[in-house]
Amino acid sequence: MTDLTARITPRRSTRTDDHAVGRFSVDLRTDTWWWDDELFRMYGFAPHDVVPSTALVLAHQHPEDTVGLVARVSETFTTGEPFTAAHTAVDATGRARLFSINGELADQRVHGRVLDLTEMVDLQARRAATVSIEASARSRAGIEQAVGAVALAEGVSPEVAFRRLRTVSNDANVPLRTLATAIVEQLPALNSDPGRLPRFLRELSAPTHRR
């Protein structure tokens, strides 16, 4: 009894590289779960607000997590083989959370360590989105510059200049962004020869440039 008590006595919660780390222990024979305070918080609860159970874990399993924590714990309990797996749960607030879980069997209980990767994944997603938005903004800025150059060189409105660029892009089978970048990069040289840009666009639209 002393060994079991020591095994499930809550230990001070820890953090690794700013990620929350929780711990659990479960005896599936009696459906007896122990969570440390950090794991309660990771599931969106205040410590000991709920009683951990197989039903509770299943209730918070994300619908797209086809295997789930309980199945992996059950397999380890049966085979004695440790496991390492990603697990997606839905916390008490409805937020999806990504956990990395290690579990092993000892003293007829499965003991696990849970690392919350949610913030790291969210941060990476935000960074990727920011990079994509910035790249899109740069692309739009380049196209707008090219449209302005064509409008000035051919004496047309920006709307007509944009349609001209799009037509040339289609005729030459060159992405509009690539065409705009080439024009913007050559603006210093084009300023000394106003007729150069219209000639360049006519050449790209010529049948010899079409595929």
Side-chain angles (χ1 to χ4, degrees):
M1 183 67 179
T2 302
D3 290 343
L4 178 59
T5 302
R7 175 71 71 172
I8 66 173
T9 297
R11 287 170 285 181
R12 181 171 56 89
S13 61
T14 61
R15 300 184 73 86
T16 301
D17 295 331
D18 294 328
H19 305 311
V21 178
R23 290 182 172 83
F24 69 88
S25 176
V26 55
D27 183 348
L28 290 181
R29 297 170 301 178
T30 59
D31 192 27
T32 304
W33 290 71
W34 168 81
W35 289 1
D36 72 354
D37 289 354
E38 191 65 49
L39 191 55
F40 276 101
R41 285 189 282 267
M42 288 161 65
Y43 270 91
F45 298 106
H48 313 294
D49 260 6
V50 294
V51 177
S53 65
T54 299
L56 183 67
V57 174
L58 288 174
H60 285 274
Q61 180 174 315
H62 194 281
E64 295 181 2
D65 194 331
T66 55
V67 179
L69 174 59
V70 172
R72 297 186 187 281
V73 167
S74 297
E75 183 177 356
T76 293
F77 191 82
T78 301
T79 65
E81 294 295 322
F83 73 88
T84 298
H87 172 61
T88 305
V90 179
D91 69 16
T93 69
R95 181 187 183 189
R97 306 192 74 90
L98 178 63
F99 300 148
S100 174
I101 304 178
N102 300 316
E104 62 180 0
L105 182 67
D107 300 331
Q108 297 301 305
R109 297 179 68 90
V110 176
H111 305 273
R113 179 177 180 271
V114 183
L115 180 65
D116 190 351
L117 302 178
T118 308
E119 296 298 337
M120 181 188 73
V121 172
D122 286 352
L123 177 60
Q124 290 177 342
R126 288 195 297 271
R127 286 175 175 170
T130 299
V131 170
S132 177
I133 291 170
E134 290 176 348
S136 177
R138 288 194 297 270
S139 176
R140 288 197 302 272
I143 292 173
E144 289 171 0
Q145 283 184 277
V147 166
V150 173
L152 182 62
E154 299 195 344
V156 296
S157 69
E159 291 77 13
V160 172
F162 178 75
R163 289 198 295 271
R164 175 86 167 109
L165 277 179
R166 188 169 55 189
T167 298
V168 172
S169 170
N170 291 334
D171 288 345
N173 195 24
V174 175
L176 181 59
R177 180 178 60 255
T178 302
L179 176 60
T181 299
I183 292 173
V184 171
E185 289 177 348
Q186 294 300 315
L187 281 180
L190 295 175
N191 287 336
S192 62
D193 182 1
R196 185 173 177 179
L197 178 53
R199 289 196 303 272
F200 171 66
L201 296 178
R202 286 195 299 271
E203 289 172 2
L204 283 179
S205 294
T208 54
H209 283 274
R210 300 182 186 182
R211 298 178 182 177

